[in-house]
Amino acid sequence: MEFQDVVRRRRMVRKFTDEPVSDESIQRIMRNAVRGPSAGFSQGQGFLVLRGESLKRLTEMFEWWGGEDAKTAPVVVIPFSAKDVYLDRYAQADKGWTDRAEDHWPVPYWDIDTGMAALLILQTAVDEGLGAVFFGTDKETWPQLRAAFGVPDSYVPIGMIAIGHPAEEGISEGASPRTRKRKAFDEMVHWDRWQ
């Protein structure tokens, strides 16, 4: 698929068929995810891929912000960011900071880089002929999530991505693009000066 087609077709798919996702597709999706940008090549992301029984445990344990329909996806990927990996990396000699102070960072690049990896997951799913939806999690459930799946405390889930074969065409019922129009290009993109 051409890249422009991937970008145009990318949308949040909330309903999935019961058709399994091939191991080859999941491998390709995850190999692309780890190729995302990473400040200082810190590589402070981790990804938990859940299928089968582990996915069933997840769906039984937590409320899904993605909605009940998303629970039918055969694969869920949870992208995690690890701030300490970035703080450690930038305290190394080639980066020039001598401490791990968080105030060096104007924004949390560990979350930004992990978000970029999540977009690569969403785009690669489209390229594989699949659908996917990104949704948030409740912060209160993070300790339970970590304990249930052996995730170190230093890793923070930025959300979850359900992946599968789409069971619907077009925009999902109840999705925001059904009730809101896309903003005009010139309203969002400013050339040389904001006004």
Side-chain angles (χ1 to χ4, degrees), residues 27-97:
Q27 284 290 327
R28 184 163 177 252
I29 289 167
M30 297 317 301
R31 288 188 188 287
N32 284 353
V34 301
R35 301 284 302 182
S38 178
F41 209 44
S42 299
Q43 303 171 76
Q45 296 83 36
F47 304 92
L48 181 61
V49 181
L50 301 174
R51 299 175 286 182
E53 287 302 312
S54 61
L55 178 54
K56 185 178 179 195
R57 271 193 10 243
L58 178 77
T59 62
E60 292 170 351
M61 289 174 60
F62 302 105
E63 175 187 342
W64 277 48
W65 287 15
E68 287 299 309
D69 287 331
K71 285 185 175 183
T72 64
V75 179
V76 167
V77 176
I78 306 175
F80 291 85
S81 67
K83 172 176 62 177
D84 287 342
V85 173
Y86 284 75
L87 299 181
D88 290 345
R89 171 69 182 109
Y90 274 78
Q92 292 175 356
D94 68 317
K95 285 306 186 191
W97 295 340

Side-chain angles (χ1 to χ4, degrees), residues 2-193:
E2 293 293 323
F3 181 70
Q4 288 302 316
D5 292 332
V6 168
V7 172
R8 272 194 301 277
R9 289 182 177 184
R10 201 238 23 100
R11 62 183 171 83
M12 298 300 179
V13 173
R14 293 168 173 80
K15 291 184 182 179
F16 303 93
T17 69
D18 59 1
E19 184 181 351
V21 173
S22 73
D23 287 340
E24 293 81 14
S25 287
I26 292 301
Q27 284 290 327
R28 184 163 177 252
I29 289 167
M30 297 317 301
R31 288 188 188 287
N32 284 353
V34 301
R35 301 284 302 182
S38 178
F41 209 44
S42 299
Q43 303 171 76
Q45 296 83 36
F47 304 92
L48 181 61
V49 181
L50 301 174
R51 299 175 286 182
E53 287 302 312
S54 61
L55 178 54
K56 185 178 179 195
R57 271 193 10 243
L58 178 77
T59 62
E60 292 170 351
M61 289 174 60
F62 302 105
E63 175 187 342
W64 277 48
W65 287 15
E68 287 299 309
D69 287 331
K71 285 185 175 183
T72 64
V75 179
V76 167
V77 176
I78 306 175
F80 291 85
S81 67
K83 172 176 62 177
D84 287 342
V85 173
Y86 284 75
L87 299 181
D88 290 345
R89 171 69 182 109
Y90 274 78
Q92 292 175 356
D94 68 317
K95 285 306 186 191
W97 295 340
T98 58
D99 61 21
R100 298 176 72 251
E102 230 178 293
D103 61 0
H104 292 302
W105 298 85
V107 294
Y109 277 86
W110 38 92
D111 293 335
I112 291 168
D113 287 350
T114 307
M116 288 190 227
L119 179 58
L120 286 172
I121 291 170
L122 294 170
Q123 290 178 323
T124 307
V126 170
D127 197 43
E128 289 290 307
L130 300 168
V133 61
F134 179 94
F135 55 95
T137 63
D138 282 322
K139 190 173 184 176
E140 296 77 32
T141 66
W142 294 354
Q144 184 185 2
L145 175 68
R146 287 186 189 109
F149 296 100
V151 178
D153 289 344
S154 59
Y155 283 80
V156 174
I158 66 157
M160 297 184 185
I161 304 169
I163 303 170
H165 293 274
E168 59 188 353
E169 291 291 323
I171 299 169
S172 300
E173 193 67 40
S176 295
R178 284 185 173 260
T179 60
R180 298 174 54 107
K181 290 184 177 186
R182 184 175 298 277
K183 288 184 177 182
F185 178 81
D186 290 335
E187 188 178 346
M188 297 178 71
V189 178
H190 309 275
W191 303 96
D192 301 317
R193 186 172 165 80

